[in-house]
Amino acid sequence: QVQLVESGGGWVQAGGSLRLSCAASGSILRINDMEWYRQAPGKQRELVATITSRGWTNYADPVKGRFTISRNDAKNTVFLQMNNVKPEDTAVYYCSVVVTYRYWGQGTQVTVSS
């Protein structure tokens, strides 16, 4: 089993920044992809950013140029640096990692006020 603990969410004004963290623990030999998803009220969960074990990254169009995903494999942690946030970024953000199976964090709320 793998446990994921997210932190860093909260309230921020539009144009501001937040940094989300997600630490994995448990039966981990090697983490493959690490990802961030988000789900806004009344909407489906959507993929925000991916980072592979080799460091290749990919972003959803709405966040390109504003968000940066990174990882620290020594600490089994993935980060999401969110800059120039917008009200439409308001959502619950979930981290997800792929070990043998896919695991999910509990989610952290991000609220952006205009």
Side-chain angles (χ1 to χ4, degrees):
Q1 286 289 337
V2 174
Q3 296 79 41
L4 301 177
V5 178
E6 296 140 340
S7 60
W11 177 89
V12 63
Q13 285 190 320
S17 298
L18 277 178
R19 188 181 192 227
L20 306 183
S21 301
C22 174
S25 61
S27 301
I28 299 172
L29 291 179
R30 180 173 178 269
I31 299 178
N32 296 311
D33 292 352
M34 306 182 85
E35 298 176 319
W36 287 97
Y37 288 74
R38 67 185 181 186
Q39 187 167 18
K43 295 187 177 182
Q44 289 188 330
R45 189 173 298 189
E46 63 176 358
L47 177 62
V48 174
T50 300
I51 184 166
T52 69
S53 58
R54 295 189 176 187
W56 176 83
T57 59
N58 192 45
Y59 299 91
D61 285 343
V63 308
K64 282 182 179 177
R66 300 188 296 120
F67 291 9
T68 302
I69 189 171
S70 60
R71 61 192 284 170
N72 181 332
D73 289 331
K75 297 184 177 181
N76 291 328
T77 301
V78 62
F79 306 95
L80 185 68
Q81 178 67 42
M82 305 167 62
N83 295 330
N84 189 25
V85 295
K86 302 176 180 180
E88 51 264 43
D89 294 323
T90 294
V92 178
Y93 283 72
Y94 299 89
C95 69
S96 180
V97 302
V98 178
V99 185
T100 303
Y101 305 102
R102 178 176 291 278
Y103 296 89
W104 293 90
Q106 79 285 356
T108 185
Q109 176 70 47
V110 172
T111 303
V112 182
S113 64
S114 57

